[in-house]
Structure formats: C-alpha cells, structure tokens
Amino acid sequence: MSALQLRISDAAYEISVDDTVLARLPGGASTLLAGAGERVRELDVETAIERAEDWLMPSSTSFHAFTLVLPEGAGRLAPWFGSDASVTPEQVECVFNRVVDDVAAGRAAQRDAVADLVVLRELIHHGALTAVVFRS
C-alpha cells in the first residue's frame, strides 16, 4: 500500500507518495517563520499557519485518508511526542494547542520545531489524514 511521507529538513519540507514528490517547500521552517524573531510569538504561529495552508492547499486533496509516515522519525517533534510510534490527529491537535499556549505565555519553544508542528497539524487537517507514524 502507498504511504504518504513528510520529510522534514533544514533545506525543505517535502511531501511524497511512492517517491513521487507532491509538494515541496524550499527553506522549510525558515520559510514558514520568515520575519519572526528567535522567540516565536503568537503572530508568528498564525503567519506560519497561513503560509503552510497556502503551500498545502493546492495539493491537499491528493492526501485524503492516508496515514502519514515521517520516515526519519520524530526529529525536532520528539520532545512533544516522545517515543510514541504513532499518534492520532487528536493527539497532534492537543500538542499543538499546548505549544500555542506556551508561545502565548512567553515560554520558550524551539523555533524550528514549532514550524514543524504547524506543518504536521495543517497537513493532517487539510489532508484529512487518519494517523501519523514515526519511523526511525
């Protein structure tokens, strides 16, 4: 069965199925958070969401009902998801809400990890994905 994959790197975010790239965002986290300072603010998260949606929406119907695989594992997302091999969309949404609360309260959140979480959340939401699997 085909798997939808999200590759997260400093160079780009890349979504593919069976080694066919469906969407690529050059610059990855730095593109989503362009103009943000080192400390992420609520406005930066909102802007990142808008940029992620602009990037994902043209191809989002290609993602419907897939399970998402992160082939390199959780990477920068690991502090929020720990050793879970897979998570539900609801679990991702809960983590996202906690991180946004932390950002709003001025508590430190690793900048690039916040961008990764935004991409993951928006991909799940707009792609109507059923689960996320972290593979090492």
Side-chain angles (χ1 to χ4, degrees), residues 1-129:
M1 179 176 205
S2 297
L4 182 70
Q5 295 187 346
L6 171 62
R7 286 190 170 81
I8 297 172
S9 73
D10 291 337
Y13 291 123
E14 193 171 272
I15 301 167
S16 62
V17 174
D18 297 331
D19 297 323
T20 300
V21 175
L22 303 176
R24 186 172 197 280
L25 183 64
S30 62
T31 298
L32 288 187
L33 292 172
E38 193 55 39
R39 191 172 140 265
V40 179
R41 302 165 302 153
E42 278 183 282
L43 178 61
D44 300 324
V45 174
E46 288 299 322
T47 301
I49 290 169
E50 290 174 12
R51 290 175 179 157
E53 288 174 338
D54 289 347
W55 170 57
L56 292 168
M57 290 307 287
S59 53
S60 65
T61 58
S62 304
F63 313 149
H64 283 214
F66 272 99
T67 292
L68 178 66
V69 175
L70 280 87
E72 288 84 31
R76 295 183 295 228
L77 299 170
W80 294 313
F81 296 104
S83 61
D84 291 340
S86 66
V87 294
T88 65
E90 293 78 16
Q91 288 170 299
V92 172
E93 188 66 24
C94 285
V95 168
F96 177 80
N97 289 333
R98 281 196 319 265
V99 170
V100 169
D101 288 347
D102 286 346
V103 167
R107 291 186 289 268
Q110 204 276 334
R111 177 187 156 89
D112 290 351
V114 171
D116 297 349
L117 184 58
V118 166
V119 166
L120 179 61
R121 180 211 188 217
E122 295 306 312
L123 182 55
I124 289 169
H125 178 73
H126 295 291
L129 305 181

